[in-house]
Amino acid sequence: MIRYISLFLGLAFTAAVLWAFGNGAFVAATQGLGEKTADGVFHAHPHAPEGGFSFEGPVGRFDRQQLQRGYQVYKEVCSACHSLKFVAFRDLAQLGYNEAEIKAEAASWQVPGIDPNTGEATTRAGLPTDHFPSPFPNAVAAAAANNNAVPPDLSLMTKARHEGPAYVYSLISGYGAPDPALRAEFPEFETPTGLYFNKYFATLNLAMAPPLTATGQVSFADGTEATIPQMAADVAAFLAWTAEPTLEQRKQTGVWFLGFMIFVTLLAFLSKKQVWSALHTGRKD
Amino acid sequence: MADTKGTVTQESFADHGDEGVRRRDFINIAAVSAAGVGGLATLIPLVTQMSPSADVLAESSTEVDVSAIEPGQAIKAVFRKQPLFVKRLTAGEIAAANEVDVAELRDPQTLAERTKLGHEDVLVTMGVCTHLGCVPLGTAEGEVKGEFGGYFCPCHGSHYDTAGRIRKGPAPANLQVPEYEFASDTVIRVG
Amino acid sequence: MSFPWANQYQPQNGFMKWMDEKLPLPRLVYNAIGAGYPVPRNLNYMWNFGVLAGFCLVLQIVTGVVLAMHYASDASLAFGKIEHIMRDVNWGWLMRYAHANGASFFFLVIYLHIFRGFYYSSYKAPREMIWLLGVVIFLLMMATGFMGYVLPWGQMSFWAAQVITGLFEAIPLVGAPIKTWLLGGFAPDDATLNRFFSLHYLLPFVIVGVVILHVWALHIPGSSNPTGVEVKSESDTVPFHPYYTAKDGFGLGVFMILFTIMVFFLPNALGHPDNYIEANPLSTPAHIVPEWYFWPFYAILRAFTYDFLFVPAKLLGVIAMFGSILIWFILPWLDKSPVRSANYRPTYRMFFWILMVDMAVLFWCGGAPAQEPYVMISQIATAYYFMHFLVIVPFISRSEKTAPLPKSITDAVLGQAGATAKGARA
C-alpha cells in the first residue's frame, strides 16, 4: 500500500516540476536564455597589485610602513566621505605608532561630544578610546550630500566584497573610458550624469568620483612616491587591516596549531594501527 | 585467551609479551597525552575570553573642571564607569582632617598625602566603598555625611572622615585616590 | 541490550564500587562507549561520522555559549557586537570563526553520516527508530543553523530571515498572518532577532536530548556494518574500547586538521561577503543565497516556477522543499529489500551514485543565481530526487537481483578460507 501512495506522490512531484521545466524550456526555445547585458559581459575581475599583498598566504603579515601610508590616504582622501566606525584610534598602535603619537593623532580628529556644562551636542578633540568619526551626522545627511548614494562605511569593506583587497585596489585605480568593444556590442550603454564608468564595479557605473586623481595627491611621510597605483595599493592594505586587525594573530596561531594537530593525528594513527594490529594479522596470542 | 573463532576481547588484547606491552603502551600514552595537551591549550582562549576586552582595558581618562565647586561642596563625576568624588574642603574640614592622630587610623594617611601640593583643598577619591563596593553618601546637599563629617556608606555603615579616610565600620581602607593631575589650575585629568 | 558476550563492568576500587551502587554512571559509559559495548569488527571509516557529529555539537555549544556572553540581540547593536567580538574580545575572532565554520563542518559531517545511511540502508529494521530520530536531529539542526545565521544581522542574515519566513506565506489562507507572527512584525526587526537568539540558544540542547535518544536507540540492536549481515557470534565483534575509540580518535584528528585549515587560514571562504554589510531593510543584495549546506534544498524550492493544476508555484516549492526531507521519514518502509548493504545490491548501488550526482547538481544550482540554465537543470535534478526515493527505491527493492551475502561478518573480514583455517588450527 505505502508503495502505491509513494508512487503517486513521486509522480505528482515529478509531474509538477517537469511541467515547470517544460514551460521554462518553451520560453527558452522561443525567446532564448535571456539577453546579455553590458555588465554581464564587460565586468572585469579584480586583480591585486603586482607582486600581491604582503598579508596574503598562510604566513602573510602586514607591512607596517604600507599600513601607515594607507592610513594617510584614508585620512587625506577617503575620510571626506567614508566613515570607519568599527576602528578606534587606539587600534593605530598596531600600525606601529606609540602612545604619544596616537594621542596626538586622535586629537587631530573632531569627534561628536557633549558640552559638559550645557549638555548640548558639540564636537571635541578625539581621545585614543574614540572611534573614527563619521563625516556625516546620519545616513540622510550622507545621502543628501552625495547625490542620494550613501558612501559605505569602510571598516569591513575588504571582507564585504569578493577578493576584497584586490577589489578595492582595482576599483580606485581602475577608472577610465569604456572599452571600444563594449561600445560596439552595446551601443545603448551609457554612463548617466553623476556616475562614473568603472569596469570593476558590478553595474559598471559607479556613484563615487575617481578619488585618486594625480601623482603626489598625498605626500607620504616616508618619502614613497605617491603614484595612483601606490596610493591604491596602500589604502587597500590599510582597509584589509581595518577589516581584520587580528589577521596576523590568526595566521600565527594557525600555523602553530596546525602543526600540533598533524603531530597528534600522526600519534593517533600509530596508536590506532597498534590497537588494530592484532586483529588485522589474525594474531591473538 | 583467544578463542577458536578469532574473538578478541580486551583481556586477550592485553596478553602480549612484556616488550609488546611497553611499545604499545608508549604510543597510546603518547597519543592520549598529546591530545590532552591540546585540550588544555584550548582552555586558554575559553578562559581568557572572559577577561576584560581591549575596549574595556583601553586607557581612558576623564577631565573634570573643579573651578565651580564651592568650599564644602562635592560633585560626582564618572571615571571608568565608576563614580568619582571631587570635593572642595572648607578650612574647618581641613583642620579636622589634620587634627587626627594618623598613627591611630586603620589606614594611616595624612590629608597631604591624599591631595596635590598647592591644591590641598581639593579631595579627589573614587566613590566606591572599600568594603563591598557601594557608593557612599555625602556628596549631595543634605546627604548623611556620617559621624566624621565626610562620607557614609549606608550599605554596611562605614564612616569616612573629611579626608575620605575610614574611621568606623567594616571597610578596610580609605576611599581610593585615583591617579590624577592638575591639567590647569581649574581642570583635573584623571587616569 | 547488549550481546551476551559483552565484557561486564567491574568497579576497580572501593570508590568506583560505591559510585556504581549510588549512581552507575561509569557503568553506563562502559556499556555505551567503553569495553562493554561489542561492535561489529568490520566498520569502515564511514562509521566515524556519528562520533564526529557529536564532537561538532559539543564544539558548537561551547563556542556558542562563549559568543552569547558578548553578543546583544538588538537590531541596532547586533552587527557591532559581532565586530566587538572579532576585534576586542580576547580570542573572540577564534570563537566566532570556530562557531561559523563549526556549523559548516557539522553539516558536512551530518551529510556524510546520512549518505552512509543511504548506501548501507542503515535505516532498515531493526534500526528504523534510530533513523527517524536522526531525521528529527537534522531538521532541528537546519532550524538552528538558519536562526544562527540571522544573528550577525548582516545583509544575508536579514534577507534570509525575510525570505525563509516568507515561505510560510505560501500556506493558503493563514500564510500571511503566520509570517507576521513568526517575525513579530511586518519585517525582520528586534522582535525577530530576539526570538531567533532565544531559540538558537535553546534548540542545541533539544538536539542534545534527541541525540541521547538516538544513541540509546542505537544500543538496542547495536551498530549496523558494511556487509549488512547482523552480528551472529562473538567473533563478529570487538569491544568499542579500545578498537573504535582509537579509530575515532584518528578520525577526529583528520577532522581537526581540516577544521584548523578552514578556521585559521580560510575563515570566510564558506561565508558570503554580503554578510559583512550591516542589514539594510531598504536594499536587497543582488544575489541572495543561503549558507552552502542549504543549497540542495534551496534549489528544490526554486525549481517550481510554474503553477501546476490548481496549486500555485510558491506553495509547490515550499511543499517540495519540506517534502524532500520529510520523505526520509518513510524511507524504512519504502525500501523493502531484505539485503541492506549496497555492496550486495548492484542496481541500488547504481541509483545511489546517481542520487549523489543528482544532489551535487542540486547543490550547484542552489548556489547559482536564479536564472537559466540553472533553473532548468535544477528541475531535472529535482525530478530525479523525488523519483529516486518515492518510485525507484520502493520498486527496485522488490525486483533487483542481489549478490550473495557472506555467511557472517567474520567470514567477510577473514574470508571463508581464513575462518576455516582458524577453526582447523584450533
Side-chain angles (χ1 to χ4, degrees), chain C residues 100-155:
Chain C
N101 285 286
S104 281
F105 273 77
F106 198 174
F107 273 97
L108 179 71
V109 163
I110 283 292
Y111 278 126
L112 292 169
H113 194 55
I114 292 172
F115 295 159
R116 194 282 315 271
F118 287 153
Y119 186 88
Y120 295 105
S121 307
S122 303
Y123 44 78
K124 276 185 194 163
R127 297 184 181 80
E128 311 95 301
M129 184 53 79
I130 310 170
W131 174 258
L132 298 182
L133 291 165
V135 180
V136 170
I137 292 170
F138 182 59
L139 290 170
L140 287 169
M141 275 177 64
M142 292 179 98
T144 310
F146 158 67
M147 287 190 281
Y149 193 55
V150 173
L151 301 184
W153 211 242
Q155 273 288 65

Side-chain angles (χ1 to χ4, degrees), chain A residues 192-208:
Chain A
T193 327
L195 298 186
Y196 304 86
F197 180 81
N198 191 317
K199 64 181 173 177
Y200 297 104
F201 191 65
T203 62
L204 304 183
N205 292 320
L206 174 56
M208 175 169 72

Side-chain angles (χ1 to χ4, degrees), chain B residues 125-141:
Chain B
T125 60
M126 298 306 297
V128 181
C129 180
T130 55
H131 178 220
L132 290 168
C134 294
V135 179
L137 300 173
T139 45
E141 293 289 335

Side-chain angles (χ1 to χ4, degrees), chain A residues 2-3, chain C residues 123 128-129 132 328-336:
Chain A
I2 191 167
R3 276 203 305 165
Chain C
Y123 44 78
E128 311 95 301
M129 184 53 79
L132 298 182
W328 294 355
F329 276 117
I330 53 169
L331 196 54
W333 295 277
L334 292 179
D335 182 358
K336 284 295 192 189

